[in-house]
Amino acid sequence: MAKHSCYTPLLGALAVCAALSPLPASAVLDNLVREALTLADAGKGRQAYDMLEPHEAARAGDPEFDTVFGIAANLAGEHPRAILALERVLLVQPRNARARAEMGRAMFAVGDAKSARTFLDQAKSEGAPPEVSSNIDQLLRAIERVEAEGQSSVRGHVEVMLGTDSNVATGPASNTVAVPLLGGNFVLNPANVKQSATYLGLTAGVNGRYVIDSRLSVIGGANLGWRNHPSKTNFDNTQLGFSGGLSYRANKDEYTAVLTHDDYWVSGSVVREQNGLVAEWSNRSSETSQFGAYLQYSKLHYPGQKPRDVNRTVLGGSYAQQLTADLVGYAGLYGGEERAASSGVPENGHKLYGLRVGGQITVNPQWTGFVGMTYEHRRYGGPHPTFGVVRSDDQSSLSLGANWSGFKDWRVTPQISYTRIKSNIVLNDYDRTLVSVTARRDF
């Protein structure tokens, strides 16, 4: 297997190894080793490693020291040093389950998935407690996914969602709008005012990869989504998307370029067509962090409403970091513009910039919680023809939820999200809350 395959973006899957199993009950730890283990268990692997490294030459061969030094070296990304220390442990304590599990982790990190699987299987067979076996199973599944990345594959999923939307029309709360340029107040169509509705959603998708060689692959996919509002059927919508392109991997870096096409229907009529190109770069600088950048270009066409057509360009970057053994955080910045495709309608285009931050915490092998926050500012290109001012929007959102993976290939996600758009154009000033539960099956 090529070495680059070990740098998987599944930071959470690797994080479980920080507490794969306790040290043997018979171990007697001195103050130095005990303090280092406390730091390691708190996710402060680099501090633990720096504490122990000066003592390695004098303490090498002490299995308690070498075990904790191996744990710290893994957390610090010093995997070759971890392998050397753990080999010393296993020479004198061949049934040390923690050392075998940590050796599996180190082997996975340096690209030897076959040896990693062997060590992890042995750790399980040596009587690891149930909670430890669950964590080892997570890493074994991560190894399976990494191995699959080196092979041509096709994967699919189906989702069922039930939820409620506090503002299915994405409209203002008031049905009366003041328009000074027209000399008075106007009553909005009830269909364009804030109204709530429950909904049922179905989504299905398939993604494939055809491996040309160990670095270059052809990738593609298709997704279909449908949402029904039993009491507000005029808001029923369907989305259909296709994508296809190339992926190139080189050591810790992956580059992808994908062409996309998406159609969006409301009440059976196409209201938007989108064609675009997405180029991405990601770098797995270590098993605990990942950088990324992307460029998106798309042409949005609104059938029968040509003045609304725009060309959208967005450039952004992201960073993800394992903060502790159970906690992963991420942040991203982006900016760009939507430029009106037709002349004479600058108010239909805008410049934008935004920020995304969030995190995920692993509570136990079945439950993870997540939170995400976004902010985006949009400044439009010309005065609104009705309101006479240049539109300016500030959009903020917050999402909270959890994932439950109690059954193989299934995931259940309860979630709540709130969006607030503050705009100087009253028609575009609104808030919206969605509460949903989604069940997903992967194939």
Side-chain angles (χ1 to χ4, degrees), residues 263-311:
D263 291 320
Y264 183 65
W265 290 266
V266 175
S267 295
S269 300
V270 177
V271 297
R272 187 182 67 224
E273 299 172 350
Q274 182 172 339
N275 294 288
L277 169 68
V278 180
E280 294 186 78
W281 161 76
S282 62
N283 173 273
R284 287 95 191 209
S285 55
S286 74
E287 69 173 64
T288 60
S289 62
Q290 177 177 323
F291 295 90
Y294 59 89
L295 172 65
Q296 300 173 340
Y297 174 78
S298 56
K299 300 175 73 68
L300 283 73
H301 171 59
Y302 298 85
Q305 304 179 68
K306 186 176 179 180
R308 292 187 61 195
D309 292 356
V310 295
N311 299 322

mmCIF file of all heavy atoms in Angstrom, residues 263-311:
data_model
loop_
_atom_site.group_PDB
_atom_site.id
_atom_site.type_symbol
_atom_site.label_atom_id
_atom_site.label_comp_id
_atom_site.label_asym_id
_atom_site.label_seq_id
_atom_site.Cartn_x
_atom_site.Cartn_y
_atom_site.Cartn_z
ATOM 1 N N ASP A 263 -30.044 20.542 -10.193
ATOM 2 C CA ASP A 263 -31.356 21.104 -10.520
ATOM 3 C C ASP A 263 -32.184 21.157 -9.244
ATOM 4 O O ASP A 263 -32.110 20.260 -8.395
ATOM 5 C CB ASP A 263 -32.086 20.243 -11.548
ATOM 6 C CG ASP A 263 -31.437 20.303 -12.918
ATOM 7 O OD1 ASP A 263 -31.019 21.405 -13.325
ATOM 8 O OD2 ASP A 263 -31.325 19.251 -13.573
ATOM 9 N N TYR A 264 -33.002 22.200 -9.128
ATOM 10 C CA TYR A 264 -33.837 22.395 -7.946
ATOM 11 C C TYR A 264 -35.256 22.694 -8.395
ATOM 12 O O TYR A 264 -35.500 23.649 -9.144
ATOM 13 C CB TYR A 264 -33.277 23.552 -7.111
ATOM 14 C CG TYR A 264 -33.998 23.815 -5.816
ATOM 15 C CD1 TYR A 264 -33.993 22.877 -4.798
ATOM 16 C CD2 TYR A 264 -34.670 25.024 -5.598
ATOM 17 C CE1 TYR A 264 -34.641 23.116 -3.592
ATOM 18 C CE2 TYR A 264 -35.317 25.277 -4.401
ATOM 19 C CZ TYR A 264 -35.300 24.318 -3.415
ATOM 20 O OH TYR A 264 -35.949 24.558 -2.227
ATOM 21 N N TRP A 265 -36.209 21.840 -7.965
ATOM 22 C CA TRP A 265 -37.617 22.000 -8.299
ATOM 23 C C TRP A 265 -38.414 22.437 -7.066
ATOM 24 O O TRP A 265 -38.130 21.991 -5.950
ATOM 25 C CB TRP A 265 -38.229 20.682 -8.770
ATOM 26 C CG TRP A 265 -37.816 20.151 -10.097
ATOM 27 C CD1 TRP A 265 -38.440 20.347 -11.297
ATOM 28 C CD2 TRP A 265 -36.713 19.283 -10.371
ATOM 29 N NE1 TRP A 265 -37.792 19.654 -12.290
ATOM 30 C CE2 TRP A 265 -36.725 18.993 -11.748
ATOM 31 C CE3 TRP A 265 -35.704 18.728 -9.571
ATOM 32 C CZ2 TRP A 265 -35.786 18.175 -12.355
ATOM 33 C CZ3 TRP A 265 -34.762 17.921 -10.171
ATOM 34 C CH2 TRP A 265 -34.804 17.649 -11.547
ATOM 35 N N VAL A 266 -39.422 23.266 -7.275
ATOM 36 C CA VAL A 266 -40.417 23.601 -6.250
ATOM 37 C C VAL A 266 -41.792 23.397 -6.869
ATOM 38 O O VAL A 266 -42.081 23.926 -7.958
ATOM 39 C CB VAL A 266 -40.273 25.051 -5.748
ATOM 40 C CG1 VAL A 266 -41.410 25.388 -4.780
ATOM 41 C CG2 VAL A 266 -38.935 25.240 -5.047
ATOM 42 N N SER A 267 -42.624 22.598 -6.195
ATOM 43 C CA SER A 267 -43.966 22.271 -6.680
ATOM 44 C C SER A 267 -43.938 21.751 -8.116
ATOM 45 O O SER A 267 -44.785 22.105 -8.944
ATOM 46 C CB SER A 267 -44.878 23.496 -6.582
ATOM 47 O OG SER A 267 -45.056 23.856 -5.235
ATOM 48 N N GLY A 268 -42.928 20.961 -8.434
ATOM 49 C CA GLY A 268 -42.870 20.308 -9.731
ATOM 50 C C GLY A 268 -42.252 21.113 -10.846
ATOM 51 O O GLY A 268 -42.129 20.608 -11.970
ATOM 52 N N SER A 269 -41.851 22.354 -10.608
ATOM 53 C CA SER A 269 -41.251 23.195 -11.642
ATOM 54 C C SER A 269 -39.795 23.495 -11.313
ATOM 55 O O SER A 269 -39.462 23.775 -10.146
ATOM 56 C CB SER A 269 -42.023 24.515 -11.791
ATOM 57 O OG SER A 269 -43.367 24.278 -12.140
ATOM 58 N N VAL A 270 -38.931 23.453 -12.331
ATOM 59 C CA VAL A 270 -37.522 23.784 -12.115
ATOM 60 C C VAL A 270 -37.400 25.281 -11.865
ATOM 61 O O VAL A 270 -37.830 26.097 -12.699
ATOM 62 C CB VAL A 270 -36.663 23.384 -13.335
ATOM 63 C CG1 VAL A 270 -35.208 23.798 -13.108
ATOM 64 C CG2 VAL A 270 -36.759 21.891 -13.588
ATOM 65 N N VAL A 271 -36.829 25.654 -10.724
ATOM 66 C CA VAL A 271 -36.658 27.074 -10.400
ATOM 67 C C VAL A 271 -35.199 27.496 -10.427
ATOM 68 O O VAL A 271 -34.904 28.690 -10.446
ATOM 69 C CB VAL A 271 -37.263 27.394 -9.014
ATOM 70 C CG1 VAL A 271 -38.764 27.147 -9.014
ATOM 71 C CG2 VAL A 271 -36.592 26.588 -7.914
ATOM 72 N N ARG A 272 -34.265 26.510 -10.436
ATOM 73 C CA ARG A 272 -32.853 26.878 -10.507
ATOM 74 C C ARG A 272 -32.048 25.736 -11.111
ATOM 75 O O ARG A 272 -32.251 24.563 -10.765
ATOM 76 C CB ARG A 272 -32.304 27.215 -9.119
ATOM 77 C CG ARG A 272 -30.867 27.766 -9.157
ATOM 78 C CD ARG A 272 -30.339 28.041 -7.761
ATOM 79 N NE ARG A 272 -30.155 26.817 -6.999
ATOM 80 C CZ ARG A 272 -30.513 26.661 -5.740
ATOM 81 N NH1 ARG A 272 -31.091 27.649 -5.081
ATOM 82 N NH2 ARG A 272 -30.309 25.514 -5.122
ATOM 83 N N GLU A 273 -31.129 26.083 -11.997
ATOM 84 C CA GLU A 273 -30.166 25.140 -12.549
ATOM 85 C C GLU A 273 -28.773 25.676 -12.253
ATOM 86 O O GLU A 273 -28.530 26.880 -12.353
ATOM 87 C CB GLU A 273 -30.350 24.983 -14.055
ATOM 88 C CG GLU A 273 -31.723 24.447 -14.456
ATOM 89 C CD GLU A 273 -31.937 24.490 -15.956
ATOM 90 O OE1 GLU A 273 -31.100 25.105 -16.648
ATOM 91 O OE2 GLU A 273 -32.941 23.930 -16.430
ATOM 92 N N GLN A 274 -27.876 24.771 -11.883
ATOM 93 C CA GLN A 274 -26.528 25.202 -11.499
ATOM 94 C C GLN A 274 -25.491 24.273 -12.106
ATOM 95 O O GLN A 274 -25.572 23.056 -11.978
ATOM 96 C CB GLN A 274 -26.388 25.216 -9.974
ATOM 97 C CG GLN A 274 -25.046 25.692 -9.469
ATOM 98 C CD GLN A 274 -25.030 25.863 -7.961
ATOM 99 O OE1 GLN A 274 -26.082 26.001 -7.333
ATOM 100 N NE2 GLN A 274 -23.854 25.860 -7.371
ATOM 101 N N ASN A 275 -24.509 24.860 -12.784
ATOM 102 C CA ASN A 275 -23.378 24.121 -13.332
ATOM 103 C C ASN A 275 -22.107 24.744 -12.794
ATOM 104 O O ASN A 275 -21.990 25.980 -12.722
ATOM 105 C CB ASN A 275 -23.373 24.181 -14.864
ATOM 106 C CG ASN A 275 -24.555 23.464 -15.477
ATOM 107 O OD1 ASN A 275 -24.626 22.245 -15.459
ATOM 108 N ND2 ASN A 275 -25.506 24.234 -16.005
ATOM 109 N N GLY A 276 -21.147 23.899 -12.413
ATOM 110 C CA GLY A 276 -19.959 24.478 -11.804
ATOM 111 C C GLY A 276 -18.751 23.577 -11.796
ATOM 112 O O GLY A 276 -18.769 22.440 -12.278
ATOM 113 N N LEU A 277 -17.705 24.121 -11.229
ATOM 114 C CA LEU A 277 -16.431 23.435 -11.047
ATOM 115 C C LEU A 277 -15.979 23.656 -9.612
ATOM 116 O O LEU A 277 -16.016 24.784 -9.109
ATOM 117 C CB LEU A 277 -15.370 23.984 -12.010
ATOM 118 C CG LEU A 277 -13.923 23.554 -11.757
ATOM 119 C CD1 LEU A 277 -13.752 22.062 -12.030
ATOM 120 C CD2 LEU A 277 -12.958 24.365 -12.613
ATOM 121 N N VAL A 278 -15.556 22.581 -8.947
ATOM 122 C CA VAL A 278 -15.032 22.669 -7.586
ATOM 123 C C VAL A 278 -13.629 22.075 -7.581
ATOM 124 O O VAL A 278 -13.436 20.914 -7.959
ATOM 125 C CB VAL A 278 -15.916 21.912 -6.572
ATOM 126 C CG1 VAL A 278 -15.319 22.030 -5.166
ATOM 127 C CG2 VAL A 278 -17.340 22.453 -6.589
ATOM 128 N N ALA A 279 -12.656 22.871 -7.185
ATOM 129 C CA ALA A 279 -11.271 22.409 -7.057
ATOM 130 C C ALA A 279 -10.879 22.481 -5.590
ATOM 131 O O ALA A 279 -11.102 23.515 -4.937
ATOM 132 C CB ALA A 279 -10.327 23.268 -7.898
ATOM 133 N N GLU A 280 -10.316 21.403 -5.049
ATOM 134 C CA GLU A 280 -9.973 21.345 -3.634
ATOM 135 C C GLU A 280 -8.567 20.802 -3.427
ATOM 136 O O GLU A 280 -8.078 19.982 -4.211
ATOM 137 C CB GLU A 280 -10.957 20.448 -2.878
ATOM 138 C CG GLU A 280 -12.367 20.965 -2.821
ATOM 139 C CD GLU A 280 -13.254 20.101 -1.943
ATOM 140 O OE1 GLU A 280 -13.167 20.227 -0.704
ATOM 141 O OE2 GLU A 280 -14.005 19.285 -2.504
ATOM 142 N N TRP A 281 -7.947 21.261 -2.355
ATOM 143 C CA TRP A 281 -6.667 20.729 -1.882
ATOM 144 C C TRP A 281 -6.782 20.468 -0.398
ATOM 145 O O TRP A 281 -7.346 21.280 0.336
ATOM 146 C CB TRP A 281 -5.532 21.719 -2.135
ATOM 147 C CG TRP A 281 -4.312 21.448 -1.297
ATOM 148 C CD1 TRP A 281 -3.384 20.463 -1.477
ATOM 149 C CD2 TRP A 281 -3.892 22.178 -0.133
ATOM 150 N NE1 TRP A 281 -2.416 20.524 -0.506
ATOM 151 C CE2 TRP A 281 -2.696 21.566 0.339
ATOM 152 C CE3 TRP A 281 -4.409 23.273 0.569
ATOM 153 C CZ2 TRP A 281 -2.024 22.025 1.463
ATOM 154 C CZ3 TRP A 281 -3.725 23.728 1.694
ATOM 155 C CH2 TRP A 281 -2.555 23.109 2.119
ATOM 156 N N SER A 282 -6.293 19.328 0.049
ATOM 157 C CA SER A 282 -6.261 19.036 1.486
ATOM 158 C C SER A 282 -4.901 18.461 1.839
ATOM 159 O O SER A 282 -4.281 17.757 1.038
ATOM 160 C CB SER A 282 -7.371 18.063 1.884
ATOM 161 O OG SER A 282 -7.206 16.820 1.232
ATOM 162 N N ASN A 283 -4.454 18.774 3.042
ATOM 163 C CA ASN A 283 -3.165 18.311 3.535
ATOM 164 C C ASN A 283 -3.352 17.751 4.933
ATOM 165 O O ASN A 283 -3.794 18.453 5.838
ATOM 166 C CB ASN A 283 -2.145 19.452 3.564
ATOM 167 C CG ASN A 283 -0.836 19.045 4.228
ATOM 168 O OD1 ASN A 283 -0.688 19.145 5.439
ATOM 169 N ND2 ASN A 283 0.101 18.586 3.431
ATOM 170 N N ARG A 284 -3.068 16.439 5.108
ATOM 171 C CA ARG A 284 -3.128 15.812 6.421
ATOM 172 C C ARG A 284 -1.731 15.899 7.034
ATOM 173 O O ARG A 284 -0.928 14.973 6.927
ATOM 174 C CB ARG A 284 -3.583 14.367 6.320
ATOM 175 C CG ARG A 284 -5.067 14.248 6.003
ATOM 176 C CD ARG A 284 -5.270 14.077 4.515
ATOM 177 N NE ARG A 284 -6.684 14.223 4.146
ATOM 178 C CZ ARG A 284 -7.214 13.619 3.115
ATOM 179 N NH1 ARG A 284 -6.495 12.823 2.370
ATOM 180 N NH2 ARG A 284 -8.473 13.815 2.816
ATOM 181 N N SER A 285 -1.416 17.055 7.630
ATOM 182 C CA SER A 285 -0.068 17.291 8.129
ATOM 183 C C SER A 285 0.313 16.333 9.242
ATOM 184 O O SER A 285 1.477 16.066 9.483
ATOM 185 C CB SER A 285 0.069 18.736 8.619
ATOM 186 O OG SER A 285 -0.928 19.030 9.586
ATOM 187 N N SER A 286 -0.677 15.812 9.941
ATOM 188 C CA SER A 286 -0.452 14.791 10.951
ATOM 189 C C SER A 286 -1.774 14.072 11.142
ATOM 190 O O SER A 286 -2.790 14.460 10.565
ATOM 191 C CB SER A 286 0.017 15.411 12.278
ATOM 192 O OG SER A 286 -1.053 16.050 12.943
ATOM 193 N N GLU A 287 -1.777 13.026 11.957
ATOM 194 C CA GLU A 287 -3.029 12.316 12.190
ATOM 195 C C GLU A 287 -4.001 13.118 13.028
ATOM 196 O O GLU A 287 -5.168 12.759 13.166
ATOM 197 C CB GLU A 287 -2.764 10.978 12.869
ATOM 198 C CG GLU A 287 -2.277 11.119 14.308
ATOM 199 C CD GLU A 287 -2.185 9.774 15.000
ATOM 200 O OE1 GLU A 287 -1.374 8.955 14.570
ATOM 201 O OE2 GLU A 287 -2.932 9.573 15.969
ATOM 202 N N THR A 288 -3.547 14.248 13.586
ATOM 203 C CA THR A 288 -4.414 15.051 14.442
ATOM 204 C C THR A 288 -4.784 16.397 13.837
ATOM 205 O O THR A 288 -5.431 17.203 14.505
ATOM 206 C CB THR A 288 -3.749 15.289 15.807
ATOM 207 O OG1 THR A 288 -2.511 15.985 15.624
ATOM 208 C CG2 THR A 288 -3.505 13.966 16.518
ATOM 209 N N SER A 289 -4.375 16.686 12.608
ATOM 210 C CA SER A 289 -4.723 17.974 12.014
ATOM 211 C C SER A 289 -4.841 17.856 10.507
ATOM 212 O O SER A 289 -4.282 16.947 9.895
ATOM 213 C CB SER A 289 -3.679 19.045 12.376
ATOM 214 O OG SER A 289 -2.410 18.698 11.857
ATOM 215 N N GLN A 290 -5.592 18.795 9.930
ATOM 216 C CA GLN A 290 -5.800 18.791 8.490
ATOM 217 C C GLN A 290 -6.052 20.215 8.011
ATOM 218 O O GLN A 290 -6.823 20.959 8.608
ATOM 219 C CB GLN A 290 -6.988 17.902 8.121
ATOM 220 C CG GLN A 290 -7.318 17.885 6.648
ATOM 221 C CD GLN A 290 -8.450 16.926 6.311
ATOM 222 O OE1 GLN A 290 -8.562 15.855 6.894
ATOM 223 N NE2 GLN A 290 -9.313 17.309 5.379
ATOM 224 N N PHE A 291 -5.361 20.598 6.929
ATOM 225 C CA PHE A 291 -5.571 21.879 6.271
ATOM 226 C C PHE A 291 -6.317 21.645 4.964
ATOM 227 O O PHE A 291 -6.247 20.563 4.377
ATOM 228 C CB PHE A 291 -4.242 22.561 5.942
ATOM 229 C CG PHE A 291 -3.423 22.952 7.134
ATOM 230 C CD1 PHE A 291 -2.494 22.076 7.666
ATOM 231 C CD2 PHE A 291 -3.570 24.206 7.705
ATOM 232 C CE1 PHE A 291 -1.727 22.434 8.754
ATOM 233 C CE2 PHE A 291 -2.810 24.571 8.795
ATOM 234 C CZ PHE A 291 -1.875 23.689 9.327
ATOM 235 N N GLY A 292 -6.986 22.680 4.473
ATOM 236 C CA GLY A 292 -7.644 22.550 3.199
ATOM 237 C C GLY A 292 -7.910 23.905 2.567
ATOM 238 O O GLY A 292 -7.940 24.934 3.241
ATOM 239 N N ALA A 293 -8.059 23.910 1.245
ATOM 240 C CA ALA A 293 -8.441 25.114 0.509
ATOM 241 C C ALA A 293 -9.303 24.681 -0.666
ATOM 242 O O ALA A 293 -9.196 23.545 -1.147
ATOM 243 C CB ALA A 293 -7.210 25.874 0.033
ATOM 244 N N TYR A 294 -10.151 25.581 -1.141
ATOM 245 C CA TYR A 294 -11.028 25.224 -2.237
ATOM 246 C C TYR A 294 -11.385 26.458 -3.058
ATOM 247 O O TYR A 294 -11.342 27.603 -2.580
ATOM 248 C CB TYR A 294 -12.320 24.568 -1.731
ATOM 249 C CG TYR A 294 -13.138 25.427 -0.792
ATOM 250 C CD1 TYR A 294 -14.108 26.301 -1.270
ATOM 251 C CD2 TYR A 294 -12.935 25.363 0.586
ATOM 252 C CE1 TYR A 294 -14.851 27.086 -0.411
ATOM 253 C CE2 TYR A 294 -13.679 26.144 1.456
ATOM 254 C CZ TYR A 294 -14.635 26.999 0.947
ATOM 255 O OH TYR A 294 -15.363 27.784 1.805
ATOM 256 N N LEU A 295 -11.723 26.202 -4.320
ATOM 257 C CA LEU A 295 -12.219 27.221 -5.232
ATOM 258 C C LEU A 295 -13.481 26.672 -5.883
ATOM 259 O O LEU A 295 -13.467 25.566 -6.441
ATOM 260 C CB LEU A 295 -11.180 27.555 -6.307
ATOM 261 C CG LEU A 295 -11.655 28.481 -7.430
ATOM 262 C CD1 LEU A 295 -11.977 29.873 -6.875
ATOM 263 C CD2 LEU A 295 -10.609 28.570 -8.532
ATOM 264 N N GLN A 296 -14.559 27.427 -5.795
ATOM 265 C CA GLN A 296 -15.836 27.025 -6.390
ATOM 266 C C GLN A 296 -16.262 28.074 -7.414
ATOM 267 O O GLN A 296 -16.281 29.270 -7.116
ATOM 268 C CB GLN A 296 -16.924 26.902 -5.319
ATOM 269 C CG GLN A 296 -16.636 25.886 -4.241
ATOM 270 C CD GLN A 296 -17.662 25.916 -3.128
ATOM 271 O OE1 GLN A 296 -18.367 26.905 -2.952
ATOM 272 N NE2 GLN A 296 -17.754 24.837 -2.368
ATOM 273 N N TYR A 297 -16.590 27.591 -8.601
ATOM 274 C CA TYR A 297 -17.134 28.488 -9.618
ATOM 275 C C TYR A 297 -18.403 27.844 -10.163
ATOM 276 O O TYR A 297 -18.407 26.650 -10.493
ATOM 277 C CB TYR A 297 -16.154 28.726 -10.763
ATOM 278 C CG TYR A 297 -16.773 29.537 -11.878
ATOM 279 C CD1 TYR A 297 -16.921 30.916 -11.757
ATOM 280 C CD2 TYR A 297 -17.239 28.920 -13.037
ATOM 281 C CE1 TYR A 297 -17.512 31.668 -12.761
ATOM 282 C CE2 TYR A 297 -17.833 29.662 -14.051
ATOM 283 C CZ TYR A 297 -17.969 31.032 -13.908
ATOM 284 O OH TYR A 297 -18.566 31.770 -14.893
ATOM 285 N N SER A 298 -19.476 28.611 -10.253
ATOM 286 C CA SER A 298 -20.729 28.053 -10.759
ATOM 287 C C SER A 298 -21.551 29.120 -11.460
ATOM 288 O O SER A 298 -21.451 30.321 -11.155
ATOM 289 C CB SER A 298 -21.538 27.417 -9.625
ATOM 290 O OG SER A 298 -21.772 28.343 -8.581
ATOM 291 N N LYS A 299 -22.355 28.659 -12.406
ATOM 292 C CA LYS A 299 -23.299 29.512 -13.132
ATOM 293 C C LYS A 299 -24.699 29.109 -12.686
ATOM 294 O O LYS A 299 -25.093 27.950 -12.853
ATOM 295 C CB LYS A 299 -23.124 29.336 -14.638
ATOM 296 C CG LYS A 299 -21.735 29.690 -15.137
ATOM 297 C CD LYS A 299 -21.568 29.379 -16.605
ATOM 298 C CE LYS A 299 -22.326 30.356 -17.482
ATOM 299 N NZ LYS A 299 -21.753 31.721 -17.446
ATOM 300 N N LEU A 300 -25.439 30.051 -12.102
ATOM 301 C CA LEU A 300 -26.790 29.800 -11.618
ATOM 302 C C LEU A 300 -27.786 30.406 -12.596
ATOM 303 O O LEU A 300 -27.732 31.616 -12.891
ATOM 304 C CB LEU A 300 -26.997 30.402 -10.232
ATOM 305 C CG LEU A 300 -26.398 29.634 -9.038
ATOM 306 C CD1 LEU A 300 -24.887 29.775 -9.010
ATOM 307 C CD2 LEU A 300 -26.979 30.126 -7.722
ATOM 308 N N HIS A 301 -28.673 29.556 -13.091
ATOM 309 C CA HIS A 301 -29.678 29.983 -14.068
ATOM 310 C C HIS A 301 -31.071 29.766 -13.489
ATOM 311 O O HIS A 301 -31.371 28.680 -12.966
ATOM 312 C CB HIS A 301 -29.519 29.186 -15.367
ATOM 313 C CG HIS A 301 -30.636 29.396 -16.339
ATOM 314 N ND1 HIS A 301 -30.977 30.634 -16.851
ATOM 315 C CD2 HIS A 301 -31.516 28.510 -16.901
ATOM 316 C CE1 HIS A 301 -32.002 30.510 -17.672
ATOM 317 N NE2 HIS A 301 -32.353 29.227 -17.720
ATOM 318 N N TYR A 302 -31.923 30.803 -13.581
ATOM 319 C CA TYR A 302 -33.302 30.744 -13.082
ATOM 320 C C TYR A 302 -34.232 30.794 -14.298
ATOM 321 O O TYR A 302 -34.437 31.867 -14.879
ATOM 322 C CB TYR A 302 -33.582 31.918 -12.142
ATOM 323 C CG TYR A 302 -32.711 31.912 -10.908
ATOM 324 C CD1 TYR A 302 -31.435 32.481 -10.927
ATOM 325 C CD2 TYR A 302 -33.148 31.329 -9.728
ATOM 326 C CE1 TYR A 302 -30.625 32.463 -9.804
ATOM 327 C CE2 TYR A 302 -32.350 31.311 -8.594
ATOM 328 C CZ TYR A 302 -31.083 31.875 -8.651
ATOM 329 O OH TYR A 302 -30.278 31.864 -7.531
ATOM 330 N N PRO A 303 -34.773 29.658 -14.705
ATOM 331 C CA PRO A 303 -35.621 29.613 -15.910
ATOM 332 C C PRO A 303 -36.766 30.632 -15.848
ATOM 333 O O PRO A 303 -37.469 30.727 -14.845
ATOM 334 C CB PRO A 303 -36.156 28.176 -15.911
ATOM 335 C CG PRO A 303 -35.108 27.388 -15.182
ATOM 336 C CD PRO A 303 -34.618 28.310 -14.104
ATOM 337 N N GLY A 304 -36.906 31.404 -16.933
ATOM 338 C CA GLY A 304 -37.958 32.413 -16.994
ATOM 339 C C GLY A 304 -37.645 33.683 -16.240
ATOM 340 O O GLY A 304 -38.447 34.617 -16.244
ATOM 341 N N GLN A 305 -36.479 33.748 -15.576
ATOM 342 C CA GLN A 305 -36.090 34.938 -14.803
ATOM 343 C C GLN A 305 -34.626 35.268 -15.100
ATOM 344 O O GLN A 305 -33.796 35.331 -14.202
ATOM 345 C CB GLN A 305 -36.279 34.710 -13.308
ATOM 346 C CG GLN A 305 -37.683 34.293 -12.911
ATOM 347 C CD GLN A 305 -37.793 34.062 -11.411
ATOM 348 O OE1 GLN A 305 -37.695 34.985 -10.599
ATOM 349 N NE2 GLN A 305 -37.983 32.803 -11.024
ATOM 350 N N LYS A 306 -34.318 35.472 -16.363
ATOM 351 C CA LYS A 306 -32.933 35.650 -16.780
ATOM 352 C C LYS A 306 -32.188 36.759 -16.020
ATOM 353 O O LYS A 306 -30.996 36.603 -15.719
ATOM 354 C CB LYS A 306 -32.891 35.931 -18.290
ATOM 355 C CG LYS A 306 -31.473 35.982 -18.841
ATOM 356 C CD LYS A 306 -31.465 36.173 -20.347
ATOM 357 C CE LYS A 306 -30.022 36.237 -20.852
ATOM 358 N NZ LYS A 306 -29.977 36.422 -22.335
ATOM 359 N N PRO A 307 -32.824 37.876 -15.665
ATOM 360 C CA PRO A 307 -32.080 38.910 -14.908
ATOM 361 C C PRO A 307 -31.524 38.408 -13.575
ATOM 362 O O PRO A 307 -30.589 39.015 -13.035
ATOM 363 C CB PRO A 307 -33.128 40.008 -14.704
ATOM 364 C CG PRO A 307 -34.074 39.842 -15.842
ATOM 365 C CD PRO A 307 -34.166 38.357 -16.044
ATOM 366 N N ARG A 308 -32.069 37.304 -13.041
ATOM 367 C CA ARG A 308 -31.575 36.779 -11.770
ATOM 368 C C ARG A 308 -30.330 35.914 -11.939
ATOM 369 O O ARG A 308 -29.675 35.570 -10.951
ATOM 370 C CB ARG A 308 -32.653 35.952 -11.078
ATOM 371 C CG ARG A 308 -33.858 36.737 -10.585
ATOM 372 C CD ARG A 308 -34.771 35.834 -9.766
ATOM 373 N NE ARG A 308 -34.085 35.315 -8.585
ATOM 374 C CZ ARG A 308 -34.528 34.293 -7.849
ATOM 375 N NH1 ARG A 308 -35.647 33.675 -8.209
ATOM 376 N NH2 ARG A 308 -33.855 33.882 -6.802
ATOM 377 N N ASP A 309 -30.004 35.519 -13.175
ATOM 378 C CA ASP A 309 -28.854 34.638 -13.407
ATOM 379 C C ASP A 309 -27.569 35.300 -12.906
ATOM 380 O O ASP A 309 -27.342 36.500 -13.105
ATOM 381 C CB ASP A 309 -28.712 34.315 -14.886
ATOM 382 C CG ASP A 309 -29.853 33.454 -15.411
ATOM 383 O OD1 ASP A 309 -30.702 33.047 -14.600
ATOM 384 O OD2 ASP A 309 -29.878 33.201 -16.632
ATOM 385 N N VAL A 310 -26.730 34.495 -12.240
ATOM 386 C CA VAL A 310 -25.461 35.014 -11.703
ATOM 387 C C VAL A 310 -24.358 33.998 -11.934
ATOM 388 O O VAL A 310 -24.607 32.798 -12.118
ATOM 389 C CB VAL A 310 -25.562 35.333 -10.193
ATOM 390 C CG1 VAL A 310 -26.544 36.457 -9.932
ATOM 391 C CG2 VAL A 310 -25.936 34.084 -9.398
ATOM 392 N N ASN A 311 -23.125 34.497 -11.906
ATOM 393 C CA ASN A 311 -21.937 33.660 -11.894
ATOM 394 C C ASN A 311 -21.285 33.808 -10.528
ATOM 395 O O ASN A 311 -20.946 34.919 -10.113
ATOM 396 C CB ASN A 311 -20.963 34.083 -12.993
ATOM 397 C CG ASN A 311 -21.567 33.954 -14.377
ATOM 398 O OD1 ASN A 311 -22.308 33.014 -14.650
ATOM 399 N ND2 ASN A 311 -21.262 34.907 -15.257
#
